[in-house]
Amino acid sequence: MSFEEIFDDSYKRALNTERDGNDFFESFYDHFLSGQKEIAKRFVNTDMVVQQSMLKKSFYSLFAFYASGQTDDSIRKIAEKHNRNNLDIRPEFYDRWLECLITIVSQYDDEFSEDVELAWRLVMTPGITYMKFKYDKDS
Ligand code: HEM
């Protein structure tokens, strides 16, 4: 099985799982916001239900970038929105973002394994690299 297929299957399992009444994206943000005050304060005025659905949609952009090796409007807009001049999301925040995501996948995917973890890291990393790279560009 390719890493794309492993990712796809794992993501489907994660989306179909609930833990303590919370779905995958709710738990991701609970975890992501619980560790660092600097991250949590960025979301004080955010409607987290909307935010969860935005992130869900943007997963397709990350996946498309991994699969095609080409940027599209969607990932370009997300990167611009997060850059120094807009949301000012510093590159190191993305490392925590990815570690939190892997933790939540391990809780939501019953078939979590080393290959599953690697598949998620491989699929997410090009998009994260692009967003970090664009942090101080276009200014
Ligand atoms: C690859 C990783 C990430 C993806 C795909 C992503 C995706 C998104 C998307 C799609 C939006 C909505 C954009 C819009 O309103 O047009 C958003 C907003 C936001 N993101 Fe991210 N994000 C990522 C990483 C991060 C990180 C690491 C932080 C760190 C704190 C962060 C903080 C925020 C904030 C503060 C908002 C605005 C919330 C609001 O509207 O109040 N994001 N993100």
Side-chain angles (χ1 to χ4, degrees), residues 28-29 32-33 38-48 50-51 53-59 61-62 77-78 81-82 87 89-98 124 127-128 131:
F28 166 71
Y29 275 114
F32 184 50
L33 270 56
E38 246 227 281
I39 290 183
K41 76 181 185 196
R42 306 301 186 101
F43 290 96
V44 282
N45 295 316
T46 303
D47 178 334
M48 292 315 288
V50 174
Q51 186 63 23
S53 92
M54 297 270 219
L55 184 63
K56 188 174 181 180
K57 276 192 210 141
S58 66
F59 267 32
S61 311
L62 297 174
K77 278 190 190 139
I78 297 170
K81 175 103 189 180
H82 287 70
L87 289 169
I89 304 304
R90 296 198 308 272
E92 67 265 24
F93 287 159
Y94 292 95
D95 299 334
R96 178 164 162 78
W97 186 95
L98 181 59
M124 294 294 149
I128 290 174
M131 289 173 72

Side-chain angles (χ1 to χ4, degrees), residues 4 61-72 75-76 126-127 130:
E4 270 183 48
S61 311
L62 297 174
F63 183 75
F65 184 45
Y66 168 81
S68 71
Q70 290 182 334
T71 55
D72 59 14
I75 195 157
R76 281 194 289 269
Y130 178 72

